[in-house]
Amino acid sequence: MKSKRHPNPTPTLLACALAGCLAFAPAAFAQSTSATLRGQVSTAAAPAPARITATNVATGLTRSVQAGSDGSYTLAGLPPGTYRVEVSAGGASSTRTVVLAVGQTATLDLAVVAAPSGVTTLGTVEVIGEALPEVMTSEVSNYVSERQIESLPQGSRNFLAFADTVPGMIFETGADDSTRLRGGAQNSNGINVFIDGVGQKNYVLKGGISGQDSSRGNPFPQLAIGEYKVITSNYKAEYDQISSAAITAATKSGTNVFHGQVFFDRTSDSWRAASPAEEASGAKAQSQTSQYGVALGGPIVRDRLFYFMTYEGKDILSPREVSIGGNFPIELVPQELFAATGPTNSPFSEDLWFGKLTWQPDEANLVELSAKLREEDEITGIGDRNPLSYATTKNNDSTRADLRWQWSSLDWLNDAHLTFEDESWSPRANTIGPGFNFVTPDVTGRQAILNLGGGRDFQDKGQRGWSLQDDLTWFGLDGHTMKMGFKFKSVEINAFEQQPFNPQYQVDLLEQVLAGNTSTATFVPYQVTFGAPLPGFEDRDITTRNKQFGLYFQDDWQVTDKLLLNLGLRWDYERSPGWEDYETPAPLVAALRGWANIHGPNVDYDIEDYISDGSNRSSPKGNWQPRLGFSYDLHGDQRHVIFGGAGRAYDRNLWDYLAL
């Protein structure tokens, strides 16, 4: 994306956003990456008022709540980790130790009796003591734990690859070694990944999340991911900009104990056999994959201030083979063309940085500041009919920052984020100059033989802006955990594209060889294609200042000790002036209306739907999305639970499509 300066948000707009945050009073539930612990407190005789305190054993973070009159309690906003849970009432107390997973809602009934402490693992494969699985939920979800990330083999170091272990999820690697994640039969565009509660949606390109359109790289350093949750269906109203699966991940933080990790792995062409094409040519393409990284974390002030930082790098040389196509007789191929064929490689390099500061000034406040930097450089489009000269050089860069403030009291939890993002994706022709597309005639027309010179691609697309989001939880009403939130986002998105950038000369190679022409200096093309702006379209950078608004409310209502209802409703609205206010130029309107081929009874569209006068386009305002679910515990012991749900979700239109 082009580097541009943006004005600061107006005081009026910011004031309205903050006022909206304060206006949403009674609201509900922990942040999407935080865990919730709830249950019933009792003595040997009957339920008793009690105070429950959960303390993170690694960081000293403490959350406390008073049990309700019926003995029920809810502790929300707990970062994933190991907690010492203490319940005290009437001078007696008892303690349990549990491990909470990302985004988990676990049930733990407590008794104020003298009992030995137990150790419980929630949502992990190996447990010690009593297991407390998350069963009272309508979500269809699975967890990917830190132990799985560290232990399961996978070569790409893309943390999303572990979602392949979740039923219904597919992690794909394309022929060009690019990766993508999708849910079931849906495409990858519908995915959204929430890291520490912030969506990573790509507003311009395909791939679902930013930076994953045709990339061999990783969206986030794997060393920085603590664990994540994959929700394939029945997600709650807090999840937005999604039409497939939701991944909610929590990043690692520093603790009271200094810790570090380092890794390095490498493969090369000396560790693989030659391909059949390499054996035929007598040469093996240089290829290798190197991945390396380091992570450090620890305390700055014990129990109060922590740091975590990590770096991961990746260098790849992928083997490729350039060959003559179209069954063209090899003996007739000019030497200049034949020299461009044979084994070659496609290079890629990536640098990933992540840093995080965590401040716990007191029991009521948690402040986190985190930032990610991603830089990728690669050459793509090499192989088959395309040598290095005809390839594409691509830069794929990302900068994201998140300032998070979480405030809690006995009955309230407020989680606010102020974020910034700058994403750019810029493929360019590797050679600036004319391109030659050599073809040969056959019964179907003409088949491609080889491409030389300057390639076709030239693009510059991205998104840059800031957002404010707030989630407010209230659990002061017995049997109810309610959450309400809003999000406002202002982001400039752009899509520049010229295809072809270099003029492309089509050459019938057989015809030229038979005529005695054997070099690009003497070849006579039969056709040339080139990109030229239409009158009135001198600026090809299609840009808009996009405004996004979102509101939601949800209530987890424990109707009885067996029945839990999940009731939610969200509304989203998006304003894209570059599309809505666009006016189709009059000469183009006249040309479209006068072109007989796009009118008449043989077409299934109305060309008037594609002509804008600047006032006949608008964003839909009726994107209401009910999200409803239930879970019923047949015997009240969490062993046999019937659950289900229904809902609606609206995703967004990619700007790449709207720009076209």
Side-chain angles (χ1 to χ4, degrees), residues 10 44 72 90 204 273-274 336 344 402 413 419 430 443 457 461 464 474:
T10 63
S72 64
V204 183
E336 182 181 358
T344 184
D402 176 24
L413 172 72
T419 68
N430 197 40
V443 293
D457 208 0
K461 302 177 180 180
R464 186 175 192 265
W474 184 54

Side-chain angles (χ1 to χ4, degrees), residues 27 64 73 104 144 153 243 258 287 364 369 378 387 397 530 592 620:
S64 296
Y73 76 94
Q104 184 177 27
V144 177
S243 56
F258 172 81
S287 63
L369 175 62
E378 64 175 322
D397 300 329
F530 58 93
L592 290 173

Side-chain angles (χ1 to χ4, degrees), residues 462-483:
Q463 59 196 56
R464 186 175 192 265
W466 63 275
S467 73
L468 176 67
Q469 67 182 69
D470 189 82
D471 300 274
L472 186 61
T473 302
W474 184 54
F475 32 88
L477 181 62
D478 289 351
H480 292 267
T481 302
M482 293 179 283
K483 184 174 182 178

